[in-house]
Amino acid sequence: PLCHTRHTTNQRTHLSLNNGKDLLGMQALGNTMSVAAGAPAFQRSVRRASPAAAAVSPKAALFARGAVSLNTLRPSARPVRAARVAAVTTSMMEIPSAPAASLDGYGEHCFRGAVANKYLSKYGETDALLKDVTWPSQDGKADIVAKAVLDWAVDNGASVYCHWFQPMAASGVRHGLSAQVQQTMYEFDNEGTPFFKFDGEMLLQGETDGSSYPNGGMRATHTAGGYLSLDPLSPIFLREDTIFIPAAFVSYNGDALDEKVPLHRAVEAMSTQGTRLLKLMGYEVDGLINNIGLEQEIFLVPRHAFYRRPDLQFTGRTVMGKQPARGQEMSDHYMAPISRATTAFDCMRQIQMECFKIGIPLKTRHREVAPNQYEFAPLFGNVISQNDQNLMVMQIIEEVASENGLAALLQEKPFAGINGSGKHNNWSLGTNAGVNLLNPKQINAASANPEIFPVIMAAIVSAIDKHGDLMRLSITSPGNDFRLGAMEAPPAVMSTYLGEDMTQYLMDFMETGTVEAYAPAKKSLGFGASAIPPIQVPAEDRNRTSPFPYGGARFEFRAAGSAQNVSLVNTVLNTITAEAFAIVADRIEAGETPTAIAQDLLKAHSRVIHNGNGYDPEWPEQAVEKGLWRIDSGVDAIQRFTDPKNTELFEKMGVLTPRECEARRVILLEHYVGTVEMETVTMVDMINQHVIPSCKKAELPYVKKLEDAVKTLRKAVEGIHAAADEAEAAALCRVLRLDTMIKVRDVCDEAEGLCPPSLWTLATYSELLFLDTFPEGDFLL
């Protein structure tokens, strides 16, 4: 058949084979070279087939090969193509899936634990060195770690390293939400002979052009210095031929140019003030940590259909598209089996395997509510390393999807009419010894002081009420414009759900001052059938409508966006908690009792507790009447960054200077403006290049409306360019996006509904959203 003349592997695998040949030649060359004394032998093996390359199944290759649309074929060619499609589809059903996700080799590409110990022991150290975060400052230790890392790299076929950091304003536009300069770990002598070189200085620090990243005026071309320093809280890892060194990024003046530095500062502030508070209450600890667990939602769509959607390619979301006859109204996708009939199952297992290799415990995988929507979730861990791992998970998802004939969509709202994607940020606090402060049983047993738990809860409640504007700011991403309060994510009102049991406990404490250990109630749940044993469940139900519910000894910030780097989310949560702990500690030192302070805080701030339905249409207005923070507009929320209340908070806690706050306000506004402008220009191009030609061929009466719509959109963009500042431009963009573009979309979608499929050149929602039903979605037989 004609299809057998195509390559039998997808492009990525084919390139991998070519690279292997190149490396064979490099190995042969290396064997003829002299090597500097004392340097590791210059050997490179054939490039190891990574899980991504090796696990690409024949099914994925066939799926990728089916990327020719019948829309582009001559009518006479369609019967032939139809026969080939039938053959390909039959073949797909007969080919076994990729190997199951396996723990074999878990963590072997992550430099910690037993892996690090093996190489550090050659130089008289153990992996315990890396657990002491001060090792980069200890004399000679960096050189020892560098030698061990180099040996590990060579043994694993790596000869490149980079400092891996997190520029601002990366959401939705920067692959991996990270940056790096990859450099070889060897140099050449005067005769051109290579020798490995990687020392402590190279490990610990780097330099780049700070002015070329979003910086809000903190850098300029003539003052461009940007500097990188290794982050000891996040382990070094290896992918392909490259060693990745997690790093923090600041300007020549020490201004934070990335997402990581403020998070470190905020965690330190929380630890300092929390440790101080606990000591005043008779419980001495070495320090506190913030643990998080991130639930990453995504869409997986056919890649050949993705290539016929300029809006998805350039902006990550569809700016037009008629609703299909079927959506999520039957709730049939949520937790359904992940079908082997498509490459989605292979893709998800492959993603897990890659993550396991670099020590990311990606534990959970399942379908989500919307068609073609899926979720991954890891185990809990330290906020610094967990955030870094989430960025790498997002990058791996995108790359592995492409190897399986799919495109991964990370944007919060890629499709209208169905649920968008979030990244639930499960947040808890603990001691360095592992005691969870939000687990009453643990903290009571460790401290022998039942007063601590209600004091901590009262402090957190006060922080939510006082700084709900900052919490709203932290989840402001362009994609969340369409998601918050849309029956898929909590509304833009900042409140917390504690459940009736916890709420009653705190209210009784507030009214009486009686200190009793809180013991979460349990109840027996029967199933009404004698053969099925009853189970024990929490006394509290789940409330998915709250932006910040408590449950399971943690809070869950449900409103974070799927495409976000959640560093800002956790920077805010730790900063406002640090201040709340400091306030309680100050008052204790001034002579008040902890119980009296907690009672006072609850009386002033318990209004922020809302155990009802957050989706109730009347709730937002009721919340405003109660004095809670409600900020519907993400643009307005961004402006809160430089409110005096907030700049004073960040400066007092040592997290951000007023200058850094102003820079972030500008960066977030410019990011919003840039996103909307790309969406608008893409919409104009799609109308001109696709919708109008299709309407003309189909003789549909929409051409004049569409031509007028293009003029309206172009005029709106001109108005944005003429705005006085970024705040005015962002306000105009919000109107353009949520009003003007939606009206234009309605015209496009109406035209699509009447246009014959053979004349419509854009991939439809039906083709994009239903892998299970139409794995070769754009074949019109």
Side-chain angles (χ1 to χ4, degrees), residues 438-452:
L438 302 184
N439 185 316
K441 184 176 181 180
Q442 285 189 19
I443 186 62
N444 291 342
S447 67
N449 182 358
E451 188 182 24
I452 289 178

Side-chain angles (χ1 to χ4, degrees), residues 265-277 288 427 429 459-460 462-463 467 570-586 649-650 652-655:
R265 295 172 181 171
V267 172
E268 288 185 15
M270 181 276 297
S271 176
T272 298
Q273 298 303 329
T275 301
R276 174 181 164 225
L277 170 60
L288 301 183
W427 182 85
L429 302 175
I460 293 174
S462 71
H467 296 297
N570 291 290
T571 295
V572 165
L573 293 179
N574 282 287
T575 302
I576 66 177
T577 302
E579 185 202 42
F581 287 168
I583 289 172
V584 177
D586 289 346
L649 164 71
F650 283 122
K652 179 173 61 178
M653 291 295 106
V655 176

Side-chain angles (χ1 to χ4, degrees), residues 35 91 160 220 274 325 362 433 658 736 758:
V35 181
S91 299
V160 176
L362 208 58
L736 170 59
S758 60

Side-chain angles (χ1 to χ4, degrees), residues 16 47 80 84 94 100 180 190 228 261 417 456 489 730:
S16 297
R47 176 179 179 272
V80 176
R84 287 163 52 194
E94 295 174 349
Q180 64 227 242
N190 292 336
L228 299 156
V261 170
I456 288 173

